[in-house]
Amino acid sequence: MTEEKVHENLSGTEPLIEIKNLYKFFKDFQAIKAPGVNLKIFPKEVLVIIGSSGSGKSTLLRCMNRLIEPTSGQIFFEGVEITSRSINIDEIRRNIGMVFQQFNLFMHLTVGDNIRLPLQKVLKLPDDEIEKRVKQVLETVNLLEKLDNFPGELSGGQQQRVAIARVLAMRPKLIFFDEPTSALDPELTGEVLQVMKRLVTEFHYTLVVVTHEIPFAKEVASRVIFMDEGEVIFEGKPTVVFDNPPNERLRKFLSKILEMK
């Protein structure tokens, strides 16, 4: 099965994820303020979340697959409430990939074995299917020649591409990226963003991306959310958000980001 065929069943109008009245408190700190976030994410959509550090972006992302437990609210994946205590969240996570700031690779395993491990332990695939997927995803991220290398022999950008390949091998329906280039030098950022663009333009993945990479967001986002101090302040098309931001807090944020660049 090709990656294109994996996603043929995602064309439709029902949301892949729906969030209702989600908020999160850490003791006295309101990471996502009440009454909370309400959000729908549709198949083949690229949702980009922007905002300053501490605005609630990563907390929202991690609540969506329950890496962080929400204080209150409901999250539905393909119509099933995954905040229900009766749900086996590990089964749901098979369909939701996650790429972190840090690469989270096993340094004692080769590139190939880092990708093979979840296919063996989680999906329990036969060896021939595993080898097929390993080669396929490494070709997708342009690293097939690094199959037998160890992560420590790779650049940071290459390690992040291996982390992406490991997620792709699971063939998820949705992939979260939590500031995937923030740990990289500027010259390595481009190669990771280029792979992410391919996931959109060639394979039509549904992505939710927390990032400060504004040019990337302009190019690939279907929709952009701006968060500030635990709230969704503005939501709109990239052309509106970046070219003619109608919100004062959004304008101030973007001006600071452009100054930093």
Side-chain angles (χ1 to χ4, degrees):
M1 181 184 294
T2 66
E3 287 180 302
E4 291 90 337
K5 288 183 179 178
V6 169
H7 297 93
E8 281 178 356
N9 66 338
L10 296 186
S11 58
T13 56
E14 293 300 313
L16 203 53
I17 280 193
E18 184 172 6
I19 301 170
K20 296 182 179 180
N21 305 318
L22 178 82
Y23 64 90
K24 176 64 181 179
F25 295 173
F26 294 100
K27 295 185 177 178
D28 295 330
F29 176 64
Q30 299 182 33
I32 301 176
K33 293 180 179 178
V37 172
N38 291 277
L39 180 65
K40 292 180 180 180
I41 301 166
F42 291 90
K44 301 185 182 179
E45 184 173 26
V46 180
L47 177 68
V48 171
I49 306 174
I50 61 173
S52 302
S53 296
S55 61
K57 310 182 303 296
S58 292
T59 299
L60 175 60
L61 197 69
R62 290 164 183 254
C63 281
M64 286 190 212
N65 63 359
R66 281 183 48 199
L67 289 176
I68 294 175
E69 292 292 340
T71 300
S72 187
Q74 295 174 293
I75 303 169
F76 298 85
F77 179 76
E78 295 189 318
V80 176
E81 185 186 352
I82 65 173
T83 38
S84 168
R85 297 305 170 195
S86 64
I87 284 293
N88 182 342
I89 192 61
D90 290 329
E91 289 291 327
I92 299 296
R93 288 190 188 124
R94 292 186 180 193
N95 290 305
I96 303 175
M98 183 89 175
V99 178
F100 298 88
Q101 296 178 27
Q102 302 299 328
F103 320 125
N104 292 353
L105 299 176
F106 295 107
M107 303 303 286
H108 66 289
L109 298 179
T110 65
V111 166
D113 284 342
N114 265 279
I115 299 169
R116 291 182 187 104
L117 189 62
L119 301 180
Q120 294 165 339
K121 300 296 185 183
V122 178
L123 298 187
K124 303 185 187 306
L125 297 176
D127 289 345
D128 58 344
E129 176 63 19
I130 289 173
E131 293 310 307
K132 177 183 174 183
R133 290 198 189 190
V134 169
K135 290 179 180 178
Q136 182 186 62
V137 296
L138 284 176
E139 285 177 347
T140 297
V141 301
N142 298 315
L143 285 176
L144 184 56
E145 75 281 2
K146 302 295 185 182
L147 175 69
D148 296 318
N149 287 78
F150 289 90
E153 299 172 322
L154 307 181
S155 70
Q158 289 172 330
Q159 289 185 54
Q160 190 61 295
R161 284 151 61 194
V162 173
I164 294 171
R166 183 173 57 184
V167 167
L168 295 180
M170 299 290 287
R171 293 187 176 162
K173 296 179 179 180
L174 172 67
I175 306 177
F176 295 150
F177 288 86
D178 189 5
E179 301 199 38
T181 60
S182 64
L184 301 177
D185 294 332
E187 62 267 25
L188 300 177
T189 294
E191 64 188 50
V192 174
L193 294 178
Q194 196 59 43
V195 167
M196 293 171 65
K197 289 176 188 176
R198 285 194 69 196
L199 301 186
V200 177
T201 59
E202 295 182 35
F203 302 118
H204 310 294
Y205 272 94
T206 307
L207 307 184
V208 182
V209 184
V210 172
T211 186
H212 286 146
E213 298 294 336
I214 302 303
F216 168 81
K218 277 185 175 182
E219 185 175 348
V220 304
S222 312
R223 187 163 42 120
V224 178
I225 285 177
F226 168 58
M227 293 190 70
D228 190 34
E229 297 182 352
E231 299 178 281
V232 174
I233 302 300
F234 188 78
E235 175 180 345
K237 297 281 188 182
T239 50
V240 176
V241 171
F242 299 120
D243 297 341
N244 189 28
N247 180 279
E248 180 63 24
R249 288 160 79 177
L250 174 57
R251 285 195 292 272
K252 287 182 178 179
F253 167 76
L254 291 174
S255 66
K256 287 181 181 178
I257 289 293
L258 293 174
E259 286 173 10
M260 292 169 60
K261 296 293 184 183

